[in-house]
Amino acid sequence: MSISSTTLSFEELAEAIKGRRSDYGHISGLQLDRFAPAEAWSSLPYRPVFVGDTETGVLHGGVVTAMLDESCGMAVQLALDGSSAIATLDLRIDYQKPATPGLAIKAHSVCYRTTRSIAFVRSTAYQDSEDDPVATATACFMIGANRTNMLADRRMDARSIPTLDAPDDPDGPFATSPFARALGIRVNDDGTLTMPFSPVIIGNPILPAIHGGMTGAFLETTAILGVKRELGIATLPKPIGLTVNYLRSGRAQDTIANVSIVKQGRRIVAFEARAWQDDPAKPIASAFGHFMLRQTPGSEEE
């Protein structure tokens, strides 16, 4: 069935979006629960593999980033006729508070403006109430990013959906981060990190291309580990905000990333991370953000 404004009603378009999302969207269990023109309400069930730190049970920030990226994309498609491929240009996440372990995360995304080439979106991730957000996001998407059309060209066979598993690695750098282990992230001898290409990180399966949220999750993981190592701190820094700029499509191959500290204060660290594939001089994405340094027990400040 062809996807176009002349052949699909809005309800049919929404049903197509439910069934033909990114591969990672299917694998993660993200659901489109409600919809309206240019608006999407989605939910992501809690799963132990999403945890970023087993000591607290809190979700990895990359899980929230990927969910918001996908949810924003659904809102954009609901603002269009479904015939155009879209791609994330930039995504800013502000983390308001840690997600409560064991509870699903919901998101409400609104595409509040479209031009001929660009769509602008804002989104809120929450658990109990949208007035009490876990994170908020703003994003820009390119309309007509390529010639593929996931809504028309492909529906993922439920029998072929790979699983998102986190193999045990008690002595590795991600011993307490199931989500980082599920992505297969490893640390290289030169201090860079590698995220190997695998079916679980695919966004557009027709190209195929890496999910923008997975690239964001990888950059955040790189920054967390790199800042912790560089500063010699025992506890993981707490993400405050992250802005990801998507520069090139992430192709079906391994991705490498590094991080540098831009400014270090007593409580806040500013960082910049970059991800590339073939050539470090040609990054596929970059991220700028801030971490809060967690206070050690017995310190004067919380």
Side-chain angles (χ1 to χ4, degrees), residues 150-195:
M150 290 199 303
L151 299 186
D153 298 339
R154 181 188 188 271
R155 179 188 293 271
M156 192 172 194
D157 185 347
R159 295 170 297 180
S160 68
I161 299 177
T163 58
L164 192 65
D165 298 316
D168 290 334
D169 186 14
D171 299 320
F174 303 111
T176 61
S177 180
F179 189 65
R181 298 200 308 273
L183 299 185
I185 299 173
R186 61 179 184 266
V187 181
N188 304 314
D189 292 339
D190 62 357
T192 62
L193 272 66
T194 293
M195 180 174 67

mmCIF file of all heavy atoms in Angstrom, residues 150-195:
data_model
loop_
_atom_site.group_PDB
_atom_site.id
_atom_site.type_symbol
_atom_site.label_atom_id
_atom_site.label_comp_id
_atom_site.label_asym_id
_atom_site.label_seq_id
_atom_site.Cartn_x
_atom_site.Cartn_y
_atom_site.Cartn_z
ATOM 1 N N MET A 150 10.051 4.464 5.270
ATOM 2 C CA MET A 150 9.833 3.310 6.131
ATOM 3 C C MET A 150 8.359 2.976 6.289
ATOM 4 O O MET A 150 7.981 1.834 6.506
ATOM 5 C CB MET A 150 10.453 3.547 7.507
ATOM 6 C CG MET A 150 11.968 3.546 7.508
ATOM 7 S SD MET A 150 12.660 3.279 9.159
ATOM 8 C CE MET A 150 11.907 4.608 10.081
ATOM 9 N N LEU A 151 7.496 3.986 6.190
ATOM 10 C CA LEU A 151 6.067 3.744 6.386
ATOM 11 C C LEU A 151 5.472 2.964 5.221
ATOM 12 O O LEU A 151 4.486 2.247 5.385
ATOM 13 C CB LEU A 151 5.317 5.071 6.556
ATOM 14 C CG LEU A 151 5.722 5.931 7.758
ATOM 15 C CD1 LEU A 151 4.784 7.119 7.866
ATOM 16 C CD2 LEU A 151 5.718 5.133 9.035
ATOM 17 N N ALA A 152 6.082 3.088 4.050
ATOM 18 C CA ALA A 152 5.537 2.392 2.882
ATOM 19 C C ALA A 152 6.319 1.153 2.506
ATOM 20 O O ALA A 152 5.759 0.166 2.057
ATOM 21 C CB ALA A 152 5.511 3.344 1.682
ATOM 22 N N ASP A 153 7.640 1.202 2.718
ATOM 23 C CA ASP A 153 8.500 0.189 2.136
ATOM 24 C C ASP A 153 8.699 -1.049 2.992
ATOM 25 O O ASP A 153 9.130 -2.071 2.490
ATOM 26 C CB ASP A 153 9.887 0.786 1.841
ATOM 27 C CG ASP A 153 9.798 1.914 0.834
ATOM 28 O OD1 ASP A 153 8.795 1.957 0.110
ATOM 29 O OD2 ASP A 153 10.720 2.740 0.779
ATOM 30 N N ARG A 154 8.402 -0.983 4.288
ATOM 31 C CA ARG A 154 8.785 -2.106 5.120
ATOM 32 C C ARG A 154 7.976 -2.159 6.405
ATOM 33 O O ARG A 154 7.722 -1.165 7.041
ATOM 34 C CB ARG A 154 10.271 -1.977 5.480
ATOM 35 C CG ARG A 154 10.813 -3.103 6.333
ATOM 36 C CD ARG A 154 12.213 -2.722 6.751
ATOM 37 N NE ARG A 154 12.911 -3.804 7.426
ATOM 38 C CZ ARG A 154 12.859 -3.996 8.730
ATOM 39 N NH1 ARG A 154 12.133 -3.237 9.491
ATOM 40 N NH2 ARG A 154 13.553 -4.983 9.276
ATOM 41 N N ARG A 155 7.582 -3.339 6.789
ATOM 42 C CA ARG A 155 7.035 -3.606 8.109
ATOM 43 C C ARG A 155 7.883 -4.693 8.744
ATOM 44 O O ARG A 155 8.121 -5.730 8.143
ATOM 45 C CB ARG A 155 5.578 -4.073 8.030
ATOM 46 C CG ARG A 155 4.974 -4.389 9.394
ATOM 47 C CD ARG A 155 3.609 -5.017 9.253
ATOM 48 N NE ARG A 155 2.640 -4.068 8.713
ATOM 49 C CZ ARG A 155 1.912 -3.254 9.461
ATOM 50 N NH1 ARG A 155 2.052 -3.265 10.761
ATOM 51 N NH2 ARG A 155 1.062 -2.429 8.906
ATOM 52 N N MET A 156 8.326 -4.472 9.964
ATOM 53 C CA MET A 156 9.207 -5.434 10.596
ATOM 54 C C MET A 156 8.432 -6.671 11.026
ATOM 55 O O MET A 156 7.393 -6.579 11.667
ATOM 56 C CB MET A 156 9.893 -4.804 11.811
ATOM 57 C CG MET A 156 11.034 -5.626 12.351
ATOM 58 S SD MET A 156 11.946 -4.757 13.629
ATOM 59 C CE MET A 156 13.416 -5.770 13.754
ATOM 60 N N ASP A 157 8.934 -7.826 10.655
ATOM 61 C CA ASP A 157 8.341 -9.100 11.026
ATOM 62 C C ASP A 157 8.639 -9.356 12.494
ATOM 63 O O ASP A 157 9.811 -9.390 12.907
ATOM 64 C CB ASP A 157 8.934 -10.205 10.164
ATOM 65 C CG ASP A 157 8.264 -11.554 10.410
ATOM 66 O OD1 ASP A 157 7.531 -11.684 11.411
ATOM 67 O OD2 ASP A 157 8.488 -12.469 9.601
ATOM 68 N N ALA A 158 7.593 -9.531 13.295
ATOM 69 C CA ALA A 158 7.778 -9.732 14.734
ATOM 70 C C ALA A 158 8.673 -10.926 15.026
ATOM 71 O O ALA A 158 9.381 -10.957 16.037
ATOM 72 C CB ALA A 158 6.427 -9.904 15.407
ATOM 73 N N ARG A 159 8.665 -11.920 14.136
ATOM 74 C CA ARG A 159 9.481 -13.109 14.363
ATOM 75 C C ARG A 159 10.962 -12.831 14.171
ATOM 76 O O ARG A 159 11.812 -13.619 14.606
ATOM 77 C CB ARG A 159 9.033 -14.220 13.411
ATOM 78 C CG ARG A 159 7.608 -14.725 13.664
ATOM 79 C CD ARG A 159 7.153 -15.640 12.549
ATOM 80 N NE ARG A 159 7.090 -14.931 11.273
ATOM 81 C CZ ARG A 159 6.721 -15.478 10.121
ATOM 82 N NH1 ARG A 159 6.387 -16.762 10.093
ATOM 83 N NH2 ARG A 159 6.681 -14.770 9.010
ATOM 84 N N SER A 160 11.301 -11.725 13.495
ATOM 85 C CA SER A 160 12.704 -11.434 13.213
ATOM 86 C C SER A 160 13.290 -10.379 14.140
ATOM 87 O O SER A 160 14.440 -9.992 13.981
ATOM 88 C CB SER A 160 12.853 -10.949 11.763
ATOM 89 O OG SER A 160 12.237 -9.676 11.599
ATOM 90 N N ILE A 161 12.519 -9.902 15.121
ATOM 91 C CA ILE A 161 12.999 -8.854 16.011
ATOM 92 C C ILE A 161 14.060 -9.425 16.947
ATOM 93 O O ILE A 161 13.795 -10.354 17.711
ATOM 94 C CB ILE A 161 11.843 -8.254 16.832
ATOM 95 C CG1 ILE A 161 10.807 -7.614 15.914
ATOM 96 C CG2 ILE A 161 12.378 -7.221 17.829
ATOM 97 C CD1 ILE A 161 9.606 -7.074 16.643
ATOM 98 N N PRO A 162 15.286 -8.904 16.911
ATOM 99 C CA PRO A 162 16.311 -9.398 17.832
ATOM 100 C C PRO A 162 16.017 -8.943 19.260
ATOM 101 O O PRO A 162 15.221 -8.027 19.479
ATOM 102 C CB PRO A 162 17.601 -8.762 17.308
ATOM 103 C CG PRO A 162 17.157 -7.546 16.577
ATOM 104 C CD PRO A 162 15.797 -7.866 16.010
ATOM 105 N N THR A 163 16.652 -9.576 20.209
ATOM 106 C CA THR A 163 16.440 -9.219 21.604
ATOM 107 C C THR A 163 17.536 -8.278 22.084
ATOM 108 O O THR A 163 18.645 -8.252 21.529
ATOM 109 C CB THR A 163 16.417 -10.467 22.489
ATOM 110 O OG1 THR A 163 17.654 -11.175 22.320
ATOM 111 C CG2 THR A 163 15.263 -11.370 22.116
ATOM 112 N N LEU A 164 17.226 -7.524 23.107
ATOM 113 C CA LEU A 164 18.184 -6.603 23.707
ATOM 114 C C LEU A 164 18.650 -7.230 25.014
ATOM 115 O O LEU A 164 17.962 -7.164 26.030
ATOM 116 C CB LEU A 164 17.524 -5.244 23.947
ATOM 117 C CG LEU A 164 18.441 -4.073 24.307
ATOM 118 C CD1 LEU A 164 19.376 -3.749 23.145
ATOM 119 C CD2 LEU A 164 17.609 -2.847 24.665
ATOM 120 N N ASP A 165 19.803 -7.873 24.976
ATOM 121 C CA ASP A 165 20.339 -8.591 26.126
ATOM 122 C C ASP A 165 21.621 -7.930 26.607
ATOM 123 O O ASP A 165 22.379 -7.356 25.817
ATOM 124 C CB ASP A 165 20.625 -10.052 25.780
ATOM 125 C CG ASP A 165 19.357 -10.808 25.374
ATOM 126 O OD1 ASP A 165 18.329 -10.628 26.052
ATOM 127 O OD2 ASP A 165 19.411 -11.557 24.375
ATOM 128 N N ALA A 166 21.875 -8.043 27.907
ATOM 129 C CA ALA A 166 23.090 -7.489 28.499
ATOM 130 C C ALA A 166 23.921 -8.626 29.081
ATOM 131 O O ALA A 166 23.657 -9.089 30.192
ATOM 132 C CB ALA A 166 22.746 -6.480 29.584
ATOM 133 N N PRO A 167 24.915 -9.126 28.344
ATOM 134 C CA PRO A 167 25.752 -10.209 28.874
ATOM 135 C C PRO A 167 26.520 -9.761 30.112
ATOM 136 O O PRO A 167 26.940 -8.613 30.206
ATOM 137 C CB PRO A 167 26.694 -10.529 27.709
ATOM 138 C CG PRO A 167 26.706 -9.279 26.876
ATOM 139 C CD PRO A 167 25.350 -8.679 27.013
ATOM 140 N N ASP A 168 26.678 -10.656 31.051
ATOM 141 C CA ASP A 168 27.430 -10.334 32.269
ATOM 142 C C ASP A 168 28.892 -10.066 31.938
ATOM 143 O O ASP A 168 29.502 -10.729 31.090
ATOM 144 C CB ASP A 168 27.342 -11.486 33.273
ATOM 145 C CG ASP A 168 25.943 -11.635 33.865
ATOM 146 O OD1 ASP A 168 25.218 -10.620 33.896
ATOM 147 O OD2 ASP A 168 25.601 -12.748 34.278
ATOM 148 N N ASP A 169 29.460 -9.081 32.624
ATOM 149 C CA ASP A 169 30.879 -8.751 32.480
ATOM 150 C C ASP A 169 31.325 -8.116 33.795
ATOM 151 O O ASP A 169 31.569 -6.914 33.880
ATOM 152 C CB ASP A 169 31.092 -7.800 31.305
ATOM 153 C CG ASP A 169 32.572 -7.538 31.021
ATOM 154 O OD1 ASP A 169 33.408 -8.293 31.560
ATOM 155 O OD2 ASP A 169 32.884 -6.590 30.284
ATOM 156 N N PRO A 170 31.430 -8.923 34.852
ATOM 157 C CA PRO A 170 31.654 -8.376 36.193
ATOM 158 C C PRO A 170 32.954 -7.613 36.358
ATOM 159 O O PRO A 170 33.074 -6.780 37.271
ATOM 160 C CB PRO A 170 31.632 -9.633 37.087
ATOM 161 C CG PRO A 170 31.927 -10.765 36.172
ATOM 162 C CD PRO A 170 31.345 -10.394 34.849
ATOM 163 N N ASP A 171 33.918 -7.847 35.483
ATOM 164 C CA ASP A 171 35.210 -7.166 35.612
ATOM 165 C C ASP A 171 35.393 -6.060 34.570
ATOM 166 O O ASP A 171 36.458 -5.433 34.520
ATOM 167 C CB ASP A 171 36.350 -8.181 35.480
ATOM 168 C CG ASP A 171 36.295 -9.260 36.557
ATOM 169 O OD1 ASP A 171 35.990 -8.909 37.705
ATOM 170 O OD2 ASP A 171 36.539 -10.430 36.222
ATOM 171 N N GLY A 172 34.382 -5.824 33.740
ATOM 172 C CA GLY A 172 34.504 -4.823 32.689
ATOM 173 C C GLY A 172 34.141 -3.435 33.156
ATOM 174 O O GLY A 172 33.612 -3.238 34.257
ATOM 175 N N PRO A 173 34.389 -2.432 32.322
ATOM 176 C CA PRO A 173 34.095 -1.044 32.702
ATOM 177 C C PRO A 173 32.602 -0.757 32.822
ATOM 178 O O PRO A 173 32.219 0.248 33.431
ATOM 179 C CB PRO A 173 34.727 -0.229 31.566
ATOM 180 C CG PRO A 173 34.758 -1.171 30.402
ATOM 181 C CD PRO A 173 34.989 -2.526 30.983
ATOM 182 N N PHE A 174 31.756 -1.624 32.260
ATOM 183 C CA PHE A 174 30.309 -1.413 32.330
ATOM 184 C C PHE A 174 29.629 -2.511 33.149
ATOM 185 O O PHE A 174 28.511 -2.914 32.870
ATOM 186 C CB PHE A 174 29.721 -1.353 30.913
ATOM 187 C CG PHE A 174 30.344 -0.289 30.064
ATOM 188 C CD1 PHE A 174 31.154 -0.626 28.988
ATOM 189 C CD2 PHE A 174 30.152 1.052 30.351
ATOM 190 C CE1 PHE A 174 31.748 0.351 28.203
ATOM 191 C CE2 PHE A 174 30.743 2.044 29.578
ATOM 192 C CZ PHE A 174 31.537 1.691 28.500
ATOM 193 N N ALA A 175 30.335 -2.971 34.171
ATOM 194 C CA ALA A 175 29.808 -4.043 35.022
ATOM 195 C C ALA A 175 28.478 -3.657 35.652
ATOM 196 O O ALA A 175 27.616 -4.515 35.868
ATOM 197 C CB ALA A 175 30.826 -4.396 36.106
ATOM 198 N N THR A 176 28.287 -2.366 35.937
ATOM 199 C CA THR A 176 27.048 -1.911 36.580
ATOM 200 C C THR A 176 26.111 -1.200 35.609
ATOM 201 O O THR A 176 25.154 -0.562 36.040
ATOM 202 C CB THR A 176 27.362 -0.964 37.757
ATOM 203 O OG1 THR A 176 28.053 0.189 37.265
ATOM 204 C CG2 THR A 176 28.226 -1.666 38.801
ATOM 205 N N SER A 177 26.373 -1.300 34.303
ATOM 206 C CA SER A 177 25.548 -0.616 33.305
ATOM 207 C C SER A 177 25.034 -1.612 32.266
ATOM 208 O O SER A 177 25.646 -1.791 31.209
ATOM 209 C CB SER A 177 26.331 0.500 32.610
ATOM 210 O OG SER A 177 25.534 1.164 31.646
ATOM 211 N N PRO A 178 23.909 -2.279 32.535
ATOM 212 C CA PRO A 178 23.369 -3.241 31.579
ATOM 213 C C PRO A 178 23.125 -2.659 30.190
ATOM 214 O O PRO A 178 23.361 -3.338 29.187
ATOM 215 C CB PRO A 178 22.055 -3.686 32.236
ATOM 216 C CG PRO A 178 22.271 -3.477 33.687
ATOM 217 C CD PRO A 178 23.131 -2.240 33.785
ATOM 218 N N PHE A 179 22.656 -1.406 30.124
ATOM 219 C CA PHE A 179 22.344 -0.841 28.809
ATOM 220 C C PHE A 179 23.603 -0.669 27.969
ATOM 221 O O PHE A 179 23.604 -0.977 26.766
ATOM 222 C CB PHE A 179 21.612 0.492 28.953
ATOM 223 C CG PHE A 179 21.070 1.015 27.653
ATOM 224 C CD1 PHE A 179 20.075 0.327 26.990
ATOM 225 C CD2 PHE A 179 21.556 2.175 27.083
ATOM 226 C CE1 PHE A 179 19.561 0.786 25.779
ATOM 227 C CE2 PHE A 179 21.056 2.653 25.877
ATOM 228 C CZ PHE A 179 20.062 1.951 25.223
ATOM 229 N N ALA A 180 24.694 -0.215 28.577
ATOM 230 C CA ALA A 180 25.950 -0.078 27.828
ATOM 231 C C ALA A 180 26.435 -1.441 27.355
ATOM 232 O O ALA A 180 26.943 -1.575 26.234
ATOM 233 C CB ALA A 180 27.005 0.599 28.700
ATOM 234 N N ARG A 181 26.260 -2.473 28.190
ATOM 235 C CA ARG A 181 26.668 -3.823 27.780
ATOM 236 C C ARG A 181 25.774 -4.341 26.664
ATOM 237 O O ARG A 181 26.228 -5.045 25.751
ATOM 238 C CB ARG A 181 26.631 -4.791 28.972
ATOM 239 C CG ARG A 181 27.571 -4.422 30.102
ATOM 240 C CD ARG A 181 27.868 -5.611 31.005
ATOM 241 N NE ARG A 181 26.684 -6.291 31.494
ATOM 242 C CZ ARG A 181 26.011 -5.948 32.590
ATOM 243 N NH1 ARG A 181 26.413 -4.897 33.313
ATOM 244 N NH2 ARG A 181 24.951 -6.640 32.975
ATOM 245 N N ALA A 182 24.484 -3.998 26.707
ATOM 246 C CA ALA A 182 23.561 -4.440 25.661
ATOM 247 C C ALA A 182 23.939 -3.855 24.312
ATOM 248 O O ALA A 182 23.717 -4.493 23.268
ATOM 249 C CB ALA A 182 22.130 -4.056 26.023
ATOM 250 N N LEU A 183 24.506 -2.657 24.307
ATOM 251 C CA LEU A 183 24.944 -2.034 23.056
ATOM 252 C C LEU A 183 26.313 -2.538 22.617
ATOM 253 O O LEU A 183 26.778 -2.180 21.535
ATOM 254 C CB LEU A 183 24.968 -0.508 23.202
ATOM 255 C CG LEU A 183 23.638 0.169 23.533
ATOM 256 C CD1 LEU A 183 23.805 1.686 23.523
ATOM 257 C CD2 LEU A 183 22.536 -0.250 22.575
ATOM 258 N N GLY A 184 26.951 -3.334 23.455
ATOM 259 C CA GLY A 184 28.252 -3.895 23.097
ATOM 260 C C GLY A 184 29.390 -2.898 23.156
ATOM 261 O O GLY A 184 30.456 -3.134 22.563
ATOM 262 N N ILE A 185 29.219 -1.790 23.850
ATOM 263 C CA ILE A 185 30.244 -0.748 23.886
ATOM 264 C C ILE A 185 31.504 -1.284 24.581
ATOM 265 O O ILE A 185 31.428 -1.923 25.620
ATOM 266 C CB ILE A 185 29.714 0.503 24.607
ATOM 267 C CG1 ILE A 185 28.496 1.069 23.856
ATOM 268 C CG2 ILE A 185 30.799 1.565 24.722
ATOM 269 C CD1 ILE A 185 27.797 2.202 24.584
ATOM 270 N N ARG A 186 32.645 -0.979 23.990
ATOM 271 C CA ARG A 186 33.904 -1.414 24.575
ATOM 272 C C ARG A 186 34.898 -0.250 24.593
ATOM 273 O O ARG A 186 34.798 0.690 23.803
ATOM 274 C CB ARG A 186 34.489 -2.588 23.791
ATOM 275 C CG ARG A 186 34.819 -2.293 22.339
ATOM 276 C CD ARG A 186 35.420 -3.498 21.630
ATOM 277 N NE ARG A 186 35.817 -3.202 20.260
ATOM 278 C CZ ARG A 186 35.055 -3.408 19.197
ATOM 279 N NH1 ARG A 186 33.835 -3.909 19.359
ATOM 280 N NH2 ARG A 186 35.507 -3.110 17.984
ATOM 281 N N VAL A 187 35.854 -0.357 25.491
ATOM 282 C CA VAL A 187 36.882 0.673 25.646
ATOM 283 C C VAL A 187 38.137 0.233 24.907
ATOM 284 O O VAL A 187 38.599 -0.901 25.049
ATOM 285 C CB VAL A 187 37.207 0.915 27.136
ATOM 286 C CG1 VAL A 187 38.255 2.015 27.283
ATOM 287 C CG2 VAL A 187 35.944 1.282 27.902
ATOM 288 N N ASN A 188 38.690 1.129 24.106
ATOM 289 C CA ASN A 188 39.893 0.832 23.329
ATOM 290 C C ASN A 188 41.151 1.235 24.096
ATOM 291 O O ASN A 188 41.101 1.996 25.069
ATOM 292 C CB ASN A 188 39.833 1.566 21.988
ATOM 293 C CG ASN A 188 38.580 1.222 21.203
ATOM 294 O OD1 ASN A 188 38.219 0.057 21.095
ATOM 295 N ND2 ASN A 188 37.915 2.243 20.671
ATOM 296 N N ASP A 189 42.290 0.753 23.648
ATOM 297 C CA ASP A 189 43.550 1.016 24.331
ATOM 298 C C ASP A 189 43.900 2.502 24.365
ATOM 299 O O ASP A 189 44.586 2.961 25.284
ATOM 300 C CB ASP A 189 44.692 0.241 23.656
ATOM 301 C CG ASP A 189 44.560 -1.267 23.836
ATOM 302 O OD1 ASP A 189 43.844 -1.685 24.778
ATOM 303 O OD2 ASP A 189 45.156 -2.011 23.028
ATOM 304 N N ASP A 190 43.448 3.261 23.366
ATOM 305 C CA ASP A 190 43.777 4.691 23.325
ATOM 306 C C ASP A 190 42.779 5.552 24.082
ATOM 307 O O ASP A 190 42.862 6.784 24.029
ATOM 308 C CB ASP A 190 43.877 5.164 21.873
ATOM 309 C CG ASP A 190 42.564 5.011 21.107
ATOM 310 O OD1 ASP A 190 41.579 4.489 21.685
ATOM 311 O OD2 ASP A 190 42.517 5.406 19.919
ATOM 312 N N GLY A 191 41.829 4.930 24.789
ATOM 313 C CA GLY A 191 40.863 5.683 25.574
ATOM 314 C C GLY A 191 39.578 6.004 24.849
ATOM 315 O O GLY A 191 38.617 6.471 25.471
ATOM 316 N N THR A 192 39.541 5.789 23.536
ATOM 317 C CA THR A 192 38.286 5.962 22.807
ATOM 318 C C THR A 192 37.356 4.786 23.107
ATOM 319 O O THR A 192 37.775 3.761 23.642
ATOM 320 C CB THR A 192 38.519 6.047 21.292
ATOM 321 O OG1 THR A 192 39.103 4.812 20.842
ATOM 322 C CG2 THR A 192 39.445 7.216 20.955
ATOM 323 N N LEU A 193 36.102 4.939 22.748
ATOM 324 C CA LEU A 193 35.125 3.866 22.896
ATOM 325 C C LEU A 193 34.606 3.466 21.527
ATOM 326 O O LEU A 193 34.548 4.299 20.612
ATOM 327 C CB LEU A 193 33.961 4.290 23.788
ATOM 328 C CG LEU A 193 34.122 4.068 25.301
ATOM 329 C CD1 LEU A 193 35.230 4.952 25.859
ATOM 330 C CD2 LEU A 193 32.806 4.364 26.034
ATOM 331 N N THR A 194 34.215 2.211 21.395
ATOM 332 C CA THR A 194 33.633 1.711 20.157
ATOM 333 C C THR A 194 32.262 1.129 20.436
ATOM 334 O O THR A 194 32.089 0.364 21.389
ATOM 335 C CB THR A 194 34.521 0.618 19.521
ATOM 336 O OG1 THR A 194 35.749 1.205 19.089
ATOM 337 C CG2 THR A 194 33.833 -0.018 18.313
ATOM 338 N N MET A 195 31.290 1.496 19.594
ATOM 339 C CA MET A 195 29.973 0.860 19.603
ATOM 340 C C MET A 195 29.877 0.037 18.322
ATOM 341 O O MET A 195 29.757 0.586 17.232
ATOM 342 C CB MET A 195 28.845 1.883 19.651
ATOM 343 C CG MET A 195 27.450 1.242 19.656
ATOM 344 S SD MET A 195 26.092 2.433 19.885
ATOM 345 C CE MET A 195 26.195 3.387 18.351
#
